[in-house]
Amino acid sequence: MTIDKNKVSWTSAMRSNLGNVRKVNEDSVLVHASENLWVVADGMGGHDAGDVASKQITTALSTLKLSDSFTDNIDLLEDTLLQVNQQLIDYAQQKFPGRTVGSTVVLMYAQHEFGACMWAGDSRLYRWRADSLEQLTNDHSQVAALLESGLIESAEAEDHPASNIITRAVGAADSLQLDVRAIEVAAGDVYLLCSDGLYNEVDNVTIAEQLQGATLEQAADRLVASCLAGKAQDNVSLIIIKPEVVAPDE
């Protein structure tokens, strides 16, 4: 069932964990509750590079005050990420000549019964709806491109030598291309933003199981625990988001 305009509120739970191997958390997460904006960014480049990149993204987005115009807000979000892209390029040239200081990003923004996701890289947005888990983003990665072209099968993707190579990131190139997807929100939806440290550790069946029949806080804890019970070689970051129908007298 779709949600009537002006009759939806949002709740969320976020987690960001070092994992079992890394010494630095290069992920950054943002819950900008007043603006219905949620962000996961996964930095690359090591300490003072990847963590700086992801934090620059969430810091810039955290200062935004959005308007009543959905399309204007999408433009503002995109313009902000383009500005951060240039800032990170300048930072890399000053501090780390010859190195890339960059970060993936995936964000979800909601206004009334509509939403949008915007992304670059391989951090993802999933939606649980009608007993089905759907990935709403497509990875900007070398392996994803090989899969799409039919050069490899899905069974080859997990352990492929290029599995850690992404083809888009904020700060990685002078020209940043962001993908945007519109979303029509429905009652009962659950959305999951995450870095690759989650989905590389737990499969879709586990993700779907943990998103059902639990509070958002419980689901977030269980997903992180599932990762930490394995190798958890990467940082693990996630935000679980749910729309709630508001009664007329509220």
Side-chain angles (χ1 to χ4, degrees):
M1 149 176 106
T2 57
I3 296 174
D4 292 336
K5 185 176 181 179
N6 296 320
K7 293 185 179 179
V8 58
S9 64
W10 293 84
T11 55
S12 63
M14 72 174 183
R15 301 288 185 275
S16 189
N17 191 285
L18 273 174
N20 294 333
V21 175
R22 297 288 181 90
K23 302 299 183 184
V24 175
N25 192 345
E26 295 182 72
D27 292 353
S28 186
V29 294
L30 169 66
V31 173
H32 196 357
S34 65
E35 307 303 318
N36 290 341
L37 174 63
W38 306 269
V39 186
V40 170
D42 181 356
M44 57 189 188
H47 184 50
D48 287 336
D51 53 337
V52 169
S54 64
K55 189 64 177 177
Q56 187 125 345
I57 289 171
T58 55
T59 297
L61 293 171
S62 71
T63 65
L64 296 184
K65 297 296 182 184
L66 303 180
S67 70
D68 292 332
S69 170
F70 188 83
T71 54
D72 285 353
N73 291 335
I74 297 301
D75 289 342
L76 177 59
L77 291 167
E78 184 173 17
D79 288 345
T80 301
L81 291 175
L82 293 175
Q83 291 169 10
V84 174
N85 186 69
Q86 187 57 54
Q87 291 166 1
L88 291 177
I89 290 171
D90 294 342
Y91 178 81
Q93 290 173 346
Q94 295 168 9
K95 301 288 187 179
F96 306 102
R99 285 176 58 186
T100 297
V101 176
S103 175
T104 71
V105 65
V106 60
L107 66 82
M108 179 173 168
Y109 161 63
Q111 187 179 80
H112 308 313
E113 76 275 37
F114 297 109
C117 59
M118 183 180 298
W119 74 99
D122 61 355
S123 293
R124 293 178 178 176
L125 173 63
Y126 293 90
R127 176 175 61 200
W128 172 256
R129 173 184 285 178
D131 296 325
S132 179
L133 184 71
E134 180 184 3
Q135 182 181 331
L136 299 183
T137 55
N138 60 287
D139 296 344
H140 301 135
S141 67
Q142 207 168 94
V143 165
L146 291 170
L147 280 168
E148 187 176 357
S149 65
L151 293 175
I152 63 171
E153 301 293 332
S154 56
E156 303 174 76
E158 184 175 345
D159 297 319
H160 195 277
S163 60
N164 64 338
I165 299 176
I166 59 174
T167 55
R168 294 190 208 173
V170 183
D174 290 338
S175 178
L176 172 63
Q177 183 179 353
L178 294 158
D179 280 356
V180 181
R181 175 172 177 171
I183 303 167
E184 187 170 1
V185 177
D189 283 355
V190 181
Y191 295 89
L192 170 68
L193 293 168
C194 65
S195 62
D196 64 344
L198 175 68
Y199 65 77
N200 282 338
E201 195 64 53
V202 298
D203 58 22
N204 284 3
V205 173
T206 302
I207 292 173
E209 287 175 349
Q210 301 300 352
L211 292 179
Q212 303 173 61
T215 69
L216 300 192
E217 298 290 339
Q218 289 171 334
D221 286 337
R222 291 173 185 176
L223 283 171
V224 172
S226 295
C227 290
L228 297 180
K231 294 180 180 178
Q233 298 181 82
D234 201 354
N235 308 138
V236 180
S237 294
L238 62 92
I239 306 174
I240 306 175
I241 312 157
K242 188 175 183 179
E244 301 285 355
V245 176
V246 178
D249 58 354
E250 292 184 85

